[in-house]
Amino acid sequence: PQFEAAGQLVDITDYFEDDPTLKTASPGHMAVATYEGRLYGVPLYADVSALFYNKDLFEQAGLDPDKPPTSLAEIRAYADKITALGGDVKGYFLPGSCAGCNIFTVGPLMWASGATIEPKDADDEPLQGEGVKQVLQWARDMIKAGNVHEDARGENGETFANRFGAGNIGMMGTGNFQITLVREANPDMNFGISLLPGVEPGSAASFIGGDLVVIPNGSERVEDAVDFMKFLLSDEVQVEGYAEMLNLTTRSDMADNKYFEAEPLVQDVAKALEVGRTPYTLKFFELINSPQGPWLQMLQRAYYTDEDLDTIIADAKAQMKAIASE
């Protein structure tokens, strides 16, 4: 939306006016590809956040490997038991210096707890609901209890995707891309996938992320780019490209295929699509993704200081409102 509102992208609405593939394209992607009723992009890659858990560590800690946690309190209780195994094993993982990793994995914990995070525009109030403070308190308590590796404080996203496959983390919010990475890095590791929960048992949410293909204004190859977009959305590429590599298809009608049938974990992670959301704001980078932005600053103060949480949230709200009104 930020690029669309600034008039920097080519309007492709007319090129896709009668294209049936858009009818089943990822709703989250289509939402952020649309501005004032006009289309500016199509999905390139879809990922969703979910709770990955190490069944081997569950068994070692005396937990039922077929019963993942369904609330934040259960995550804490399970993490305590896993961390108690000792050595280099920890119950959970929270990235300390990665804004994007946290909106992908901690944001859903707040959504599942009834909170909202980013303001849609200058007139919208950010960080609404008790769930914001509840999740910040939970995360602070998890870190203080020793349930997160010390070096997680410096995780800026560069090694985020490699963490769970190391086999020494009991539970972690991460994405569907992790399935293939874990299979490659640790083929003997037994793991499961569940939804990211909130405060109340049975609540859940997910961040639907990924990428879009768009065309910058000034391009001399608009029709070639549109051909590429239609190629990506074709039946063959959806199945023989995305699904074969165990990536989520970007069209829902392509999810029923032979590759997903052979890998039940993909079906498990796909359940996150039902509870997922994609933030829509004209200032996403400045509000959320920036390493110097109010989202990460709020989280780091909550994670690593003893400052009053109400004060931390109030400061982040003020910063977000100022950015949204620029």
Side-chain angles (χ1 to χ4, degrees), residues 130-308:
E130 281 299 309
V132 175
K133 183 177 180 180
Q134 290 170 325
V135 171
L136 293 181
Q137 184 66 61
W138 170 85
R140 174 180 281 181
D141 292 344
M142 287 283 283
I143 291 171
K144 282 192 171 185
N147 284 325
V148 180
H149 286 99
E150 287 287 339
D151 69 339
R153 183 168 183 165
E155 177 57 68
N156 62 6
E158 291 184 5
T159 62
F160 178 77
N162 302 326
R163 293 280 184 165
F164 188 70
N168 60 352
I169 294 173
M171 295 166 286
M172 176 178 173
T174 183
N176 48 280
F177 52 82
Q178 196 73 243
I179 297 173
T180 301
L181 293 176
V182 173
R183 294 274 191 250
E184 293 173 349
N186 202 338
D188 296 326
M189 178 175 155
N190 188 19
F191 65 100
I193 302 173
S194 185
L195 298 177
L196 287 164
V199 173
E200 296 298 323
S203 58
S206 173
F207 187 112
I208 299 178
D211 302 282
L212 296 171
V213 178
V214 298
I215 309 171
N217 265 336
S219 170
E220 297 178 357
R221 302 187 64 181
V222 172
E223 292 189 359
D224 288 341
V226 169
D227 285 344
F228 177 66
M229 292 174 173
K230 294 186 176 183
F231 167 76
L232 289 174
L233 291 168
S234 67
D235 293 8
E236 181 179 359
V237 171
Q238 289 286 305
V239 175
E240 302 303 331
Y242 292 97
E244 184 177 9
M245 293 188 290
L246 300 183
N247 289 320
L248 291 177
T249 59
T250 59
R251 285 172 47 198
S252 59
D253 58 331
M254 294 288 103
D256 186 12
N257 61 72
K258 59 184 178 182
Y259 300 109
F260 287 1
E261 289 175 2
E263 177 52 270
L265 287 177
V266 176
Q267 298 173 1
D268 289 339
V269 79
K271 294 176 183 176
L273 291 167
E274 301 172 11
V275 297
R277 67 175 72 182
T278 302
Y280 193 102
T281 174
L282 302 184
K283 299 280 187 179
F284 185 77
F285 178 78
E286 294 90 336
L287 290 166
I288 303 295
N289 250 18
S290 170
Q292 290 79 42
W295 167 247
L296 185 59
Q297 287 182 23
M298 177 184 74
L299 295 178
Q300 290 179 325
R301 290 171 67 187
Y303 291 176
Y304 305 118
T305 77
D306 292 318
E307 295 178 61
D308 178 69

